[in-house]
Amino acid sequence: MTDFNYTAKNFKSENEVRWCPGCGDYAIMNSVQRTMAEMNIPHEKFAVISGIGCSSRFPYYMSTFGFHTIHGRATAIASGVKTANPDLNVWVITGDGDSLAIGGNHFIHLVRRNIDVNLVLFNNKIYGLTKGQYSPTSARGVVTKTSPFGTVEDPFVPGQLVLGASGNFFARAVDSNVKHTQQVLKEAAQHAGTSVVEVLQNCVIFNDGIHEEIADPKFRNERQLFLEHGKPMVFGNEKDKGLVFDKGRLKVVKIGEDGYTLDDILVHDAKTSDPTLHLALINMALPDFPVAMGVIRSVEALVYDQEVTRQINEVQATRKISKVDELLRSGNTWEVNEPTSSDPVPFFKKRCTLAQE
C-alpha cells in the first residue's frame, strides 16, 4: 500500500483565508485538513462541494478539487458527483441556513438515499453572511434583525432530521475542540454511506458565545458527554456521573450514590439499527442533561452509489449494447471523410451495419 505522507499543509490552498478573525470556521477547516492528511488517499481523489454562506468559501481554501455551488444545492451537486464518480472522496461543507432552510429538501434526500459523502454542518444558529438573521436552528425567543421581538417558532435539531430521514451516521462536535473534531471526522470519513457531522460553530460577529455554556473548557467535562462505542456513558470532572434508563427515559445519576454503580451505567451502542436511544441522546440538552458529543449513530446499510454501480454492471452484462458509444455506432452509420489532394470534393462513405437490438 502506498504511503503518501501527507500533512495538513498539503491540503491548504494559496488563497488568502477571508473569514472574520476568531471565526470558528478556521478551527473546523484545520480539523478537516488534518483528517484528509491522515486518510492516505491520493490527493486528486478529494472533492469539496459547498453551497452559499460563510462556511461555503471552504473550497477556495482547500488544495483539492472543489465546487462552490448555489444556495442549498451543495448536497444535490455532491450527489451527482459521487454517483458519477464513486472513486472520489466527496465532502459537503454547509451551514445551518444553507442546508436546513432552502436546501432542506436536498439534505433529507441525500440522507435518505445514503450516498457515500461526508457532510460537515456548521451550526452557529444564525445567518452570518447575510448579516445576522435568525436561522432554522435559532432558539425560540432569540432576538435578531429579522426577529426584533424574538422568534415565535421552534428550531430544527439537525440530528432529529437525520434520524427522521432514516440516516445511518450522525455525530456532533464543537469547533474549539480540534482534536475531538478531527477524531469524529475520521470516523465519518471511514463510514460507508452518508455521514452527517454537526459542528457547533461560533460566529464572533452576529452570535458570539452561542455555544459558550457547552464549549467553555471549564464546563466541558460537566456539560458534555463524549460518546465512544462500547464504552459506558460517563461524564463529569471526576467521571462520576452517568446515564441510566429509568421508566423508559434517560436519567442522570451519580455513581456511588443511591445504589448506582458503574455496572448500571448505559453502554453506548452506536451501531444498533434501533434509533430509540440515539434519538434520546440527540435530544439531551442543558441544564438537565449534558450535550451528547462524538459519534451518536453509525450503522451499516446499503449505499446508493454502490448500488447504482452494481446495477449498471448487472445490466451491461446482460445486454449486447452496454454503453452509449456502442449504441451510437449500431444500426446505419456514416463516416464523413476529409477531402484528399486527389479528390478535393468531400464525399460520404456509407458504412452499413445491422442494428444489434
Side-chain angles (χ1 to χ4, degrees):
M1 181 178 178
T2 304
D3 189 353
F4 295 101
N5 293 317
Y6 291 140
T7 67
K9 187 176 181 180
N10 294 111
F11 293 90
K12 299 178 186 289
S13 78
E14 297 179 351
N15 294 324
E16 179 186 357
V17 181
R18 294 186 177 181
W19 286 317
C20 300
C23 176
D25 290 3
Y26 288 95
I28 301 173
M29 182 172 67
N30 194 358
S31 297
V32 171
Q33 290 167 338
R34 291 184 183 186
T35 300
M36 288 182 173
E38 291 185 358
M39 291 175 64
N40 208 39
I41 292 175
H43 200 206
E44 66 273 13
K45 293 294 184 181
F46 288 98
V48 178
I49 317 294
S50 69
I52 295 297
C54 292
S55 64
S56 295
R57 296 172 179 168
F58 213 91
Y60 298 109
Y61 309 143
M62 298 292 294
S63 179
T64 64
F65 288 111
F67 195 161
H68 188 186
T69 72
I70 57 178
H71 206 189
R73 271 63 181 182
T75 46
I77 299 298
S79 297
V81 169
K82 182 63 179 182
T83 305
N85 191 345
D87 289 338
L88 289 179
N89 191 267
V90 179
W91 293 70
V92 177
I93 305 298
T94 184
D96 46 302
D98 183 53
S99 61
L100 303 184
I102 189 172
N105 187 58
H106 296 300
F107 176 83
I108 61 174
H109 289 295
L110 169 72
V111 173
R112 176 183 65 85
R113 291 187 175 108
N114 200 34
I115 301 173
D116 190 16
V117 303
N118 311 303
L119 187 146
V120 185
L121 171 60
F122 295 38
N123 186 4
N124 55 25
K125 301 188 177 184
I126 200 76
Y127 280 100
L129 187 66
T130 49
K131 308 300 183 285
Q133 301 87 348
Y134 75 90
S135 85
T137 58
S138 297
R140 174 180 283 270
V142 68
V143 175
T144 71
K145 292 179 179 179
T146 49
S147 57
F149 305 106
T151 61
V152 292
E153 56 189 68
D154 291 320
F156 271 147
V157 177
Q160 291 178 354
L161 287 177
V162 172
L163 265 61
S166 300
N168 297 296
F169 188 102
F170 178 75
R172 188 185 284 138
V174 63
D175 56 6
S176 57
N177 193 339
V178 174
K179 184 177 180 180
H180 179 253
T181 301
Q182 183 182 346
Q183 176 186 331
V184 168
L185 291 175
K186 184 176 181 179
E187 291 190 55
Q190 293 171 342
H191 175 76
T194 303
S195 64
V196 178
V197 178
E198 175 193 12
V199 183
L200 306 181
Q201 181 258 351
N202 189 50
C203 174
V204 293
I205 303 300
F206 297 107
N207 219 13
D208 193 22
I210 186 61
H211 303 299
E212 186 174 1
E213 61 180 357
I214 301 170
D216 192 313
K218 63 185 178 184
F219 302 136
R220 180 181 296 170
N221 292 332
E222 290 290 330
R223 297 181 180 178
Q224 295 184 48
L225 170 62
F226 294 95
L227 297 167
E228 293 185 69
H229 176 70
K231 294 188 177 181
M233 301 184 199
V234 296
F235 67 101
N237 290 324
E238 305 299 328
K239 296 294 183 182
D240 58 348
K241 299 176 184 177
L243 295 180
V244 298
F245 262 131
D246 182 44
K247 298 180 181 178
R249 296 184 179 182
L250 288 179
K251 176 182 176 181
V252 174
V253 300
K254 192 165 185 178
I255 299 170
E257 293 184 2
D258 300 322
Y260 289 105
T261 67
L262 184 61
D263 292 336
D264 296 311
I265 303 303
L266 291 170
V267 174
H268 183 45
D269 185 358
K271 301 185 181 300
T272 178
S273 58
D274 185 346
T276 304
L277 183 55
H278 300 156
L279 181 60
L281 291 169
I282 287 168
N283 289 339
M284 290 196 313
L286 301 175
D288 297 325
F289 292 93
V291 175
M293 309 297 286
V295 178
I296 296 174
R297 179 173 175 84
S298 179
V299 178
E300 293 183 4
L302 294 176
V303 179
Y304 179 91
D305 43 289
Q306 294 177 4
E307 288 298 291
V308 169
T309 300
R310 177 192 59 78
Q311 187 179 71
I312 290 173
N313 291 337
E314 288 181 354
V315 172
Q316 287 179 333
T318 61
R319 297 291 190 274
K320 293 181 180 179
I321 295 177
S322 61
K323 50 189 176 182
V324 174
D325 187 60
E326 292 175 355
L327 176 63
L328 295 175
R329 294 179 182 277
S330 66
N332 294 326
T333 64
W334 288 263
E335 288 184 358
V336 179
N337 295 287
E338 294 289 337
T340 63
S341 56
S342 60
D343 184 10
V345 180
F347 67 96
F348 293 95
K349 178 182 178 183
K350 183 176 181 182
R351 182 177 68 186
C352 300
T353 59
L354 296 177
Q356 300 301 309
E357 289 190 348

